[in-house]
Amino acid sequence: VSRGGVNNFLLAEIYSSVQKEYAMRRCDTAFARSVLGREEYYYLFQKIDLFADFCVAYIEDVIGYAALYANDIQGKTAYITMIAVCKDYQNVGVGCSLINWCERTAVQKGMKTLRLEVAKDNAVARRFYERYGFCYEEEVKRDSLYMRKEIYCN
């Protein structure tokens, strides 16, 4: 558990499927397109539950979360598959703390690159990631692109 930001929130890694799903449901409105409403939600949740490192930010309740795959041993690339902050807690350091947690976790697992996918039309998210060192990598689909950040192990 670590402290962060203006609102004195805490970060904690979560291992329980129930807690992970609760966090994803609680923060779903942070996404322009609901994650819960997606056809592939069940598959996505199962994959996150089985293979992702998962961290929540909380005060009295969950205010944000991040899910990270850091298991590409050969390519040494970690992938931020989900990051969400409840609207009332955006712009107070929660997202920054979650990005930093992703980077620290990736480094601890020997990764050299962080990668994520973002909607092309989500300028706010793209600027946020750029502020934390992510750069455009390539177009993924018609409506999304990959961004990456090189990270360094000791």
Side-chain angles (χ1 to χ4, degrees), residues 35-46:
V35 173
L36 302 174
R38 296 179 191 177
E39 189 176 303
E40 69 277 8
Y41 170 73
Y42 181 75
Y43 169 76
L44 176 66
F45 177 75
Q46 292 296 330

Side-chain angles (χ1 to χ4, degrees), residues 90-105:
Q90 292 179 356
N91 300 307
V92 295
V94 178
C96 172
S97 291
L98 289 168
I99 288 284
N100 289 337
W101 173 84
C102 288
E103 187 169 342
R104 281 191 314 274
T105 301

Side-chain angles (χ1 to χ4, degrees), residues 1-140:
V1 177
S2 60
R3 291 203 172 278
V6 201
N7 287 321
N8 212 22
F9 61 87
L10 301 171
L11 295 182
E13 288 190 47
I14 297 298
Y15 304 97
S16 157
S17 300
V18 171
Q19 290 175 325
K20 291 175 190 176
E21 188 163 27
Y22 176 78
M24 290 176 73
R25 287 185 180 284
R26 171 103 168 92
C27 300
D28 193 55
T29 59
F31 294 99
R33 184 174 153 238
S34 168
V35 173
L36 302 174
R38 296 179 191 177
E39 189 176 303
E40 69 277 8
Y41 170 73
Y42 181 75
Y43 169 76
L44 176 66
F45 177 75
Q46 292 296 330
K47 189 175 168 188
I48 287 170
D49 190 35
L50 291 172
F51 303 112
D53 291 288
F54 199 95
C55 179
V56 296
Y58 67 96
I59 299 174
E60 292 176 7
D61 202 349
V62 173
I63 60 172
Y65 73 88
L68 172 78
Y69 298 118
N71 51 9
D72 176 6
I73 303 306
Q74 192 169 25
K76 297 198 180 300
T77 298
Y79 185 80
I80 300 173
T81 188
M82 291 275 171
I83 188 165
V85 176
C86 293
K87 293 202 182 285
D88 290 346
Y89 295 93
Q90 292 179 356
N91 300 307
V92 295
V94 178
C96 172
S97 291
L98 289 168
I99 288 284
N100 289 337
W101 173 84
C102 288
E103 187 169 342
R104 281 191 314 274
T105 301
V107 167
Q108 288 169 358
K109 294 185 176 234
M111 302 293 114
K112 294 187 177 187
T113 304
L114 265 178
R115 189 178 202 203
L116 56 85
E117 184 176 344
V118 63
K120 279 186 194 176
D121 64 356
N122 192 341
V124 172
R126 289 173 59 185
R127 278 193 307 274
F128 170 78
Y129 296 130
E130 287 169 354
R131 257 195 328 265
Y132 294 99
F134 285 84
C135 300
Y136 169 83
E137 181 182 18
E138 66 180 323
E139 195 169 302
V140 183

